[in-house]
Amino acid sequence: MSMTFAGQVALVTGGAAGIGRATALAFAAEGLKVVVADRDAAGGEATATLIRQAGGEALCVACDVTQERDVRQLHEQVIAAYGRLDYAFNNAGIEIEQGRLAEGSEAQFDAIMSVNVKGVWLCMKHQIPLLLAQGGGVIVNTASVAGLSAAPKMSIYAASKHAVIGLTKSAAIEYAKKGIRVNAVCPAVIDTDMFRRAYEADPRKAEFAAAMHPVGRIGKVEEIASAVLYLCSDGAAFTTGHSLTVDGGALAI
Ligand code: NAD
């Protein structure tokens, strides 16, 4: 795998925590300038500070990915600060305890779809013209194993992540001849705040989560970050429209 990232520019949404923070740090460790975008401005600034303390270059932009005005301003700030965008990791997402399908509420549906689907769509909508103008680039969207299979008691989340894969494949085909690759990363259960919130209330759920992965444990944020960097690298030059599971074998069962 050829990592030819030095001096290039990466954008990470949901970069204040979890998978986004780990990926922002991984990009920075490869010599990229990193724009950390999150609605949690303090958390995003903390990620940018970690990058700078390690000798890297980072900018934090407060952004709610559900608001087009925020997303437009985010991309204007990327260009104002660094003059270009090479890699975009559209990762901001939420999960809300839903129960079975008939127990979900309209508010839950709107909230999950707004961040997980509209947010990814808006980000790609504002990234693609920048990538076209400079002759190419790479987009990676965070879907989930719930974008490829059933997710009982998480049906709205599963629908949102299936939609992310639909957006990913469609954009990949539309821009394949324009030098833009678009892929999705599909984690199973990863040890982040999102996971802890879901399993905190009932420790038995944590044991169940570990057992659902054939490797016998949940995943680490760094294991998603390295998959994202691979998809961005020249080593993945022939890979587009792909949904890469990083799931300890969960979907192979
Ligand atoms: P997390 O809650 O630790 O981090 C998510 C980040 O997204 C937070 O910093 C949050 O502030 C930000 N965010 C949420 N809504 C936003 C909005 N409207 N605008 C901007 N930022 C917003 O979660 P995580 O586990 O790191 O999840 C990252 C992504 O990975 C999500 O898309 C999630 O669905 C996906 N995912 C997570 C898991 C898991 O087990 N943790 C598994 C599969 C997929």
Side-chain angles (χ1 to χ4, degrees):
M1 163 163 78
S2 133
M3 293 278 200
T4 49
F5 290 136
Q8 293 183 299
V9 179
L11 166 65
V12 178
T13 73
I19 291 167
R21 173 174 286 176
T23 307
L25 292 171
F27 274 132
E30 292 293 332
L32 285 106
K33 297 165 191 159
V34 183
V35 179
V36 179
D38 205 292
R39 69 179 173 188
D40 172 5
E45 198 50 64
T47 301
T49 300
L50 286 171
I51 289 172
R52 288 185 210 112
Q53 284 169 347
E57 199 169 337
L59 169 73
C60 168
V61 178
C63 171
D64 179 346
V65 296
T66 69
Q67 302 300 310
E68 182 157 27
R69 191 181 59 176
D70 279 22
V71 173
R72 180 182 294 111
Q73 285 173 357
L74 164 65
H75 291 87
E76 286 168 359
Q77 284 185 256
V78 171
I79 298 304
Y82 296 130
R84 58 185 294 114
L85 174 66
D86 298 288
Y87 308 101
F89 181 37
N90 298 318
N91 163 77
I94 60 167
E95 152 62 355
I96 301 170
E97 194 78 37
Q98 297 153 46
R100 290 198 172 93
L101 188 141
E103 293 155 8
S105 70
E106 186 177 7
Q108 289 173 335
F109 185 93
D110 289 345
I112 292 171
M113 288 295 175
S114 186
V115 181
N116 295 6
V117 184
K118 183 184 173 192
V120 168
W121 173 74
L122 276 177
C123 286
M124 287 206 289
K125 172 176 151 71
H126 286 270
Q127 287 153 5
I128 286 167
L130 302 181
L131 302 184
L132 287 173
Q134 65 192 35
V138 184
I139 296 173
V140 179
N141 298 320
T142 303
S144 166
V145 292
L148 293 164
S149 65
K153 298 193 180 173
M154 297 169 67
S155 59
I156 306 169
Y157 182 79
S160 75
K161 294 302 188 178
H162 276 73
V164 169
I165 290 175
L167 291 171
T168 301
K169 287 180 173 176
S170 303
I173 302 309
E174 288 174 4
Y175 298 100
K177 289 197 172 65
K178 303 284 185 188
I180 301 176
R181 293 189 295 108
V182 189
N183 292 293
V185 66
C186 297
V189 181
I190 307 299
D191 189 8
T192 68
D193 289 347
M194 180 180 281
F195 163 76
R196 285 183 215 116
R197 277 192 298 271
Y199 290 91
E200 213 158 50
D202 183 354
R204 286 170 308 172
K205 286 188 179 174
E207 282 171 37
F208 174 75
M212 68 187 247
H213 304 84
V215 298
R217 64 171 176 85
I218 64 170
K220 302 173 190 162
V221 288
E222 294 79 10
E223 291 167 333
I224 307 305
S226 58
V228 175
L229 264 67
Y230 162 68
L231 288 171
C232 288
S233 75
D234 290 347
F238 201 49
T239 300
T240 195
H242 182 58
S243 302
L244 177 61
T245 53
V246 186
D247 68 348
L251 286 196
I253 297 173

